[in-house]
Amino acid sequence: MPQAEGLPTKGHVPGEPGVWVLILGDLMVFSTFFVMFAYYRGLDPATFAAGRQLLDVRLGLVNTLVLLTSSLLVAMAVHRVRAERPGAPALLLGAMGCGLLFGAIKALEYSAKIQAGIGFGSSTFFMLYFAFTAIHLLHVLLGVGVLAFMRGVAARPGAAQRMVAIESGATFWHLVDLLWIVLFALIYLVG
Amino acid sequence: MTIRAQRIMIWWTLAFMLIFGLSYYFLIGLLPLPPATWTPEQVAAFYTENATRVRLGAMILSWASAFPVPIAVVIAVQMARLEKGVPILAILQLCGGLMMSIFLVLPPIFWGIAAFNPSRPPEITTAIHEIANLILVTTDQYFIFQNVAIAWLCLGRVQDAKSPFPRWIGYLTIWAALMFELGAIAFLPKTGPFAWNGLFVFWFPFVIFGTWISVMSWSLLAALTRQEADAAS
């Protein structure tokens, strides 16, 4: 995630401290999931390898790029708000578009799986795949709402005085992006 | 006077929650829940062997299992203090808090019914057992209203120094709400981390609920002390 220029480097916590309760809590739960995934994979590597073969790595990769792009747009928007330059609302709208595109691609992926007769109960691999990509998708949708809120703040005059709100939202969105990158690597690539 | 009443209500909730935990663990004996793969014979055997214990637990929990009610009232009073006009968030929180207590009331009743006459055909006992367990872990319906109302007030309303709702509690509450939603997945698998005895369905919500209610109680009690000092001066 690019660091905006002019960011105070000493003792600066991005956003308000409280938002880190949510972020660290989420990181804890997802970390548990990552450990659990590795544990179940160790019990039955063959099923996990077979499951991974059935995933569409291209769609996963496209979604990774979509989220990375959205994170870049958000970082640029934060930078513009801080520098009191115009264009932040449009950048955030672009990031929201990326979020929705991610959801659409995920829906496509799920429906292809279900049409192929693969469901939650197919194997431990698919149970973990469906459960955690869905929980992540819930985060993406919540994040699109957060981006809409940030856009509202950024569109009003004096947005640079509300950096805490902008940064808190951006931090959450970067978390959503980060979690996907780990999920993608773990489920689609390592599986 | 009302501060004293609020304090008593918080401790009332905490005391009844402790009774719930102890009765659930020592008498009902289904903490954690047994595997969802138990055969009807295993289920029937459990209730036959432990019939008296389970029924005694059900009896005690008939008195104590609605423990979220008093604290929901205190939270509502404290929320209404900060709202202008009709305290709509406080009302939503109270409705959510009251309704969700029903799903803590129901499982002990069904466990008690399962143990009431365990010589019936094992399939019937199993159905009652499953009703109890799934009600315990999957019922997120009302949590969400209570949690969203609290988070909304924490993050969206102007607070004062006497408020028990700092912004970080808002974020904690959002996180707790997200984690509770995992419980509903228990309808799908019978084994693994999302089964009714799994890490994400049983243990996380169980620990997070305990943590959330403890943090909320602590914050309310501390705020009541500040409000009392303010009223005295």
Side-chain angles (χ1 to χ4, degrees), chain A residues 104-129:
Chain A
I105 293 173
K106 208 92 218 104
L108 202 72
E109 203 184 322
Y110 284 158
S111 60
K113 289 284 160 294
I114 290 161
Q115 273 174 8
I118 299 169
F120 190 82
S122 295
S123 67
T124 309
F125 175 82
F126 279 105
M127 183 173 74
L128 296 175
Y129 159 81

Side-chain angles (χ1 to χ4, degrees), chain B residues 10-223:
Chain B
I10 295 166
W11 286 110
W12 196 354
T13 285
L14 293 176
F16 273 25
M17 185 168 84
L18 184 68
I19 294 172
F20 187 101
L22 294 175
S23 307
Y24 179 31
Y25 183 72
F26 288 107
L27 294 173
I28 307 276
L30 291 170
L31 195 169
L33 290 173
T37 48
W38 267 14
T39 62
E41 285 67 32
Q42 280 175 297
V43 175
F46 171 83
Y47 287 100
T48 306
E49 284 158 24
N50 303 297
T52 311
R53 215 157 51 100
V54 173
R55 283 153 70 185
L56 195 63
M59 183 185 84
I60 292 173
L61 289 180
S62 290
W63 298 320
S65 59
F67 67 84
V69 171
I71 201 169
V73 172
V74 178
I75 296 171
V77 168
Q78 289 293 326
M79 288 173 75
R81 194 182 72 84
L82 293 161
E83 288 192 83
K84 291 192 179 71
V86 179
I88 189 162
L89 294 177
I91 295 169
L92 179 65
Q93 186 281 141
L94 184 62
C95 293
L98 295 182
M99 295 301 288
M100 74 98 166
S101 75
I102 289 174
F103 297 125
L104 291 165
V105 166
L106 290 176
I109 295 175
F110 283 107
W111 288 321
I113 295 170
F116 189 64
N117 186 15
S119 60
R120 67 169 87 78
E123 285 75 13
I124 297 175
T125 302
T126 303
I128 301 168
H129 172 72
E130 287 171 349
I131 290 170
N133 297 352
L134 285 170
I135 288 177
L136 182 72
V137 298
T138 65
T139 43
D140 306 323
Q141 290 88 339
Y142 296 105
F143 267 119
I144 190 150
F145 297 128
Q146 186 184 30
N147 289 3
V148 167
I150 293 172
W152 190 342
L153 184 115
C154 288
L155 300 175
R157 292 281 188 275
V158 178
Q159 309 279 328
D160 58 28
K162 291 175 284 173
S163 162
F165 304 110
R167 293 179 64 88
W168 67 268
I169 284 193
Y171 288 111
L172 179 73
T173 304
I174 293 174
W175 180 65
L178 282 170
M179 288 306 115
F180 289 149
E181 300 307 308
L182 294 174
I185 303 177
F187 277 117
L188 302 178
K190 290 201 174 67
T191 57
F194 297 100
W196 72 30
N197 62 342
L199 182 66
F200 288 100
V201 163
F202 189 83
W203 289 110
F204 272 21
F206 186 81
V207 170
I208 292 169
F209 179 73
T211 308
W212 182 82
I213 213 158
S214 306
V215 168
M216 202 68 218
S217 303
W218 163 79
S219 186
L220 287 166
L221 288 169

Side-chain angles (χ1 to χ4, degrees), chain A residues 12-146:
Chain A
H12 178 77
V13 178
E16 57 179 299
V19 79
W20 287 88
V21 172
L22 174 60
I23 287 172
L24 294 175
D26 254 18
L27 282 175
M28 190 191 82
V29 170
F30 274 85
S31 304
T32 312
F33 167 72
F34 300 146
V35 171
M36 172 173 288
F37 188 90
Y39 168 75
Y40 279 103
R41 180 172 172 268
L43 290 183
D44 191 0
T47 302
F48 275 62
R52 189 186 67 87
Q53 299 269 302
L54 293 170
L55 292 184
D56 195 332
V57 180
R58 286 166 310 170
L59 287 183
L61 184 64
V62 169
N63 258 347
T64 306
L65 295 175
V66 166
L67 278 194
L68 281 173
T69 308
S70 73
S71 257
L72 178 66
L73 294 173
V74 168
M76 284 163 68
V78 171
H79 186 44
R80 291 214 178 180
V81 173
R82 187 180 289 116
E84 296 184 54
R85 279 165 46 211
L91 288 167
L92 290 169
L93 195 63
M96 286 167 68
C98 288
L100 294 176
L101 182 63
F102 180 94
I105 293 173
K106 208 92 218 104
L108 202 72
E109 203 184 322
Y110 284 158
S111 60
K113 289 284 160 294
I114 290 161
Q115 273 174 8
I118 299 169
F120 190 82
S122 295
S123 67
T124 309
F125 175 82
F126 279 105
M127 183 173 74
L128 296 175
Y129 159 81
F130 276 111
F132 264 81
T133 53
I135 292 164
H136 178 264
L137 186 59
L138 192 67
H139 279 73
V140 172
L141 298 178
L142 192 69
V144 170
V146 170

